[in-house]
């Protein structure tokens, strides 16, 4: 009789164990699917932070203090940049909270897979994570249940107490909307004329200047026009120069001329008016001719 009762009981136990195993398998599958979804979401956020031209990668804080100080001006450069940083940090903390909740339900793999994400939130370089916890979860430096999902809460508590994010915004907000000072204009090099224009103004054959003496004429020099020059005819005799304009005759050393075998011509005296012979006296008659 007892043996007959044990058989059904054993069957029920085996069935219950099978159901439990199936349920555990289903739960494990659901957790694995949720874990994969969280990891995929984390990868999407990482790609958004690493997009070209984005400064959201500075929020990780793993590059050191010097890099963090250099990124500070870019993170708080404009209200749009600050809003993007806050939105990204809020999405990361929501993802981390969902992973922490999943780990409390038995998934031991999800939190180790998000170690880098949790470490970036713990560093909290600009106080953005503390600002999100304060505005969304009502956290303070003395009480914050959301801090349970972190290992090191030193920076987060310090930023909650000092309100670091608000201090950064107060520092950079006065510079928002102001345009950069215009840089002094730089004289641009003269642009080359198009080929068609160059062909129109350039002569077919340029004059050759083998001695390199061609120079541009300064604007202070003026030249007479062709209309101001009277016409010249080769058929008209040239006018004689006045006497005072004649060049003096060169003087030749007589001794030098004799040594060279050349007879030096005496310098011509100035032309004088011809002189008439003196008139004879009227009383004197001409002598009579002698008889032959």
């Amino acid at each position: 009789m007892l043996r007959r009762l044990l058989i059904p009981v054993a069957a029920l136990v085996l069935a219950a164990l099978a159901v439990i195993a199936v349920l555990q398998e289903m739960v494990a599958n659901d957790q694995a699917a949720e874990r994969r979804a969280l990891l995929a979401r984390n990868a999407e956020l990482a790609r958004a932070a690493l997009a070209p031209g984005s400064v959201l990668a500075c929020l990780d804080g793993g590059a050191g203090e010097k890099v963090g100080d250099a990124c500070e001006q870019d993170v708080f450069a404009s209200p749009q940049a600050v809003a993007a940083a806050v939105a990204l940090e809020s999405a990361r903390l929501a993802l981390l909270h969902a992973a922490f909740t999943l780990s409390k339900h038995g998934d031991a793999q999800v939190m180790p897979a998000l170690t880098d994400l949790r470490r970036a939130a713990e560093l909290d370089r600009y106080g953005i994570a503390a600002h999100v916890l304060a505005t969304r979860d009502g956290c303070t430096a003395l009480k914050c249940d959301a801090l349970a999902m972190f290992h090191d809460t030193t920076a987060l508590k310090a930023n909650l107490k000092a309100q670091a994010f608000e201090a950064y915004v107060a520092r950079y907000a006065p510079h928002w909307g102001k345009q950069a000072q215009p840089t002094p204009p730089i004289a641009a090099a003269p642009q080359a004329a198009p080929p068609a224009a160059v062909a129109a103004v350039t002569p077919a054959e340029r004059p050759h200047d083998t001695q390199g003496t061609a120079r541009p004429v300064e604007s202070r020099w003026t030249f007479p026009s062709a209309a101001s020059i009277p016409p010249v005819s080769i058929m008209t005799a040239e006018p004689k120069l006045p006497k005072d304009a004649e060049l003096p005759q060169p003087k030749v050393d007589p001794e030098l001329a004799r040594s060279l075998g050349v007879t030096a011509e005496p310098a011509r005296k100035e032309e004088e008016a011809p002189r008439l012979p003196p008139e004879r006296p009227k009383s004197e008659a001409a002598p009579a001719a002698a008889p032959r």
Side-chain angles (χ1 to χ4, degrees):
M1 186 70 182
L2 183 60
R3 294 178 61 183
R4 291 179 180 179
L5 293 175
L6 290 176
I7 294 174
V9 171
L12 290 175
V13 172
L14 292 175
L17 292 175
V19 171
I20 292 173
V22 171
L23 292 177
Q24 289 179 347
E25 183 67 21
M26 293 177 62
V27 171
N29 291 337
D30 292 341
Q31 290 179 352
E34 187 174 357
R35 181 174 64 253
R36 288 192 296 269
L38 292 176
L39 295 179
R41 178 58 178 162
N42 181 46
E44 292 178 359
L45 294 176
R47 283 195 295 269
L50 297 176
S54 175
V55 297
L56 298 179
C58 297
L59 302 182
D60 293 343
E65 288 295 326
K66 292 184 178 180
V67 177
D69 293 341
C71 290
E72 179 181 317
Q73 294 183 355
D74 294 331
V75 173
F76 294 93
S78 64
Q80 294 80 5
V82 176
V86 173
L88 178 64
E89 195 64 39
S90 179
R92 286 180 170 181
L93 290 177
L95 175 62
L96 197 60
H97 184 269
F100 181 70
T101 303
L102 182 62
S103 66
K104 291 194 300 182
H105 286 84
D107 192 339
Q109 301 179 13
V110 62
M111 289 304 291
L114 299 175
T115 301
D116 294 340
L117 181 62
R118 180 169 57 184
R119 181 57 180 165
E122 290 174 351
L123 294 175
D124 196 20
R125 174 64 181 79
Y126 307 107
I128 299 177
H131 170 74
V132 173
L133 293 176
T135 55
R136 189 182 63 184
D137 300 333
C139 290
T140 63
L142 300 177
K143 182 180 180 181
C144 182
D145 297 336
L147 295 179
M149 58 184 177
F150 300 106
H151 290 165
D152 186 2
T153 60
T154 304
L156 289 171
K157 288 181 178 180
N159 290 337
L160 283 171
K161 183 178 181 179
Q163 296 183 347
F165 174 77
E166 286 76 6
Y168 280 114
V169 172
R171 180 189 306 174
Y172 288 96
H175 303 285
W176 294 345
K178 293 183 179 180
Q179 297 180 355
Q181 296 294 333
T183 57
I186 301 176
Q191 298 181 356
V198 173
V201 300
T202 305
E205 183 178 357
R206 296 182 179 179
H208 298 282
D209 182 19
T210 58
Q211 301 297 328
T213 58
R215 296 292 185 273
V217 180
E218 298 181 2
S219 59
R220 60 178 181 173
W221 301 107
T222 58
F223 298 93
S225 61
S228 62
I229 301 175
V232 178
S233 176
I234 61 175
M235 303 303 295
T236 304
E238 296 182 0
K240 295 183 179 181
L241 295 176
K243 294 182 178 181
D244 55 356
E246 293 182 357
L247 296 177
Q249 295 294 332
K251 295 182 180 181
V252 181
D253 189 0
E255 296 181 359
L256 178 60
R258 284 195 299 270
S259 63
L260 297 176
V262 179
T263 303
E265 295 181 0
R268 292 182 301 179
K269 297 181 179 181
E270 296 181 358
E271 294 182 359
E272 299 179 356
R275 296 182 180 180
L276 300 176
E279 297 181 358
R280 295 180 180 180
K282 297 181 179 180
S283 60
E284 296 181 2
R292 295 183 177 180

